[in-house]
C-alpha cells in the first residue's frame, strides 16, 4: 500500500515537485526574451572567472566548517562559529549568485531587514525552548 511504504509516501511528492521544476526550467528555454529598454542603465556583471573565485571561496569556508567539527571545542563556541560561517556563506551567495549586489539598494534593505527579523525569531525560539545553544 501507498501509505505503508515511507519511501513512496515521501518520494512521490518530491518527484512531482522536481518534475514541476523541470517543466518550468524547460519552459524558460522557449519563452520569448524581453526587449531591453534603451534608457535603462545596464550594470556589468562579473565574468565567469569571478564566479569561479566566489565558488572556491565558498568551498574553502565549507572546508573550514568541516575541519572545525573535528576540534574539541565547547558546544556553544562550536555552534556560534558554525552559524557565523554559515551567515558569511549565505551573504556571499545572495550578493553574487542572486545578483543582489547589482540591484537597487531598496532590495538590499528589504532583504537584510527580513534576515535580521528571521535571525531574531530564531534566537528567541532557541532561547525559549532551552536548547542550551546560546
Amino acid at each position: 500500500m501507498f501509505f505503508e511504504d515511507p519511501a513512496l509516501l515521501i518520494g512521490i511528492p518530491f518527484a512531482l515537485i522536481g518534475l514541476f521544476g523541470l517543466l518550468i526550467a524547460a519552459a524558460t528555454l522557449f519563452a520569448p526574451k524581453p526587449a531591453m529598454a534603451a534608457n535603462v542603465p545596464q550594470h556589468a556583471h562579473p565574468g565567469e572567472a569571478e564566479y569561479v573565485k566566489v565558488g572556491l571561496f565558498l568551498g574553502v569556508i565549507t572546508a573550514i566548517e568541516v575541519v572545525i567539527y573535528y576540534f574539541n571545542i565547547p558546544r556553544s563556541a562550536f555552534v556560534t562559529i558554525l552559524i557565523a560561517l554559515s551567515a558569511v556563506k549565505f551573504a556571499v551567495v545572495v550578493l553574487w549568485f542572486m545578483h543582489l549586489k547589482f540591484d537597487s539598494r531598496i532590495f538590499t534593505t528589504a532583504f537584510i531587514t527580513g534576515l535580521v527579523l528571521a535571525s531574531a525569531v530564531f534566537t528567541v525560539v532557541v532561547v525559549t525552548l532551552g536548547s542550551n545553544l546560546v
Side-chain angles (χ1 to χ4, degrees), residues 10-122:
I10 294 172
I12 289 177
F14 282 143
L16 291 174
I17 291 170
L19 182 63
F20 183 67
L22 184 64
L23 290 174
I24 291 173
T28 59
L29 294 175
F30 302 109
K33 304 292 183 229
M36 299 299 288
N39 299 357
V40 178
Q42 299 296 320
H43 53 271
H45 283 282
E48 292 175 5
E50 196 157 350
Y51 283 112
V52 170
K53 290 177 189 175
V54 171
L56 289 173
F57 174 76
L58 292 171
V60 168
I61 296 292
T62 302
I64 291 170
E65 289 174 337
V66 171
V67 168
I68 286 175
Y69 176 78
Y70 293 103
F71 284 110
N72 189 15
I73 59 176
R75 183 168 174 83
S76 60
F78 174 73
V79 171
T80 304
I81 292 169
L82 288 183
I83 288 176
L85 289 173
S86 295
V88 169
K89 287 192 330 183
F90 177 78
V92 170
V93 167
V94 167
L95 287 174
W96 288 97
F97 293 109
M98 294 176 64
H99 304 286
L100 191 60
K101 179 179 178 181
F102 308 108
D103 282 339
S104 171
R105 290 286 178 205
I106 194 162
F107 296 130
T108 305
T109 303
F111 190 83
I112 290 174
T113 302
L115 180 62
V116 168
L117 288 173
S119 299
V121 169
F122 173 77

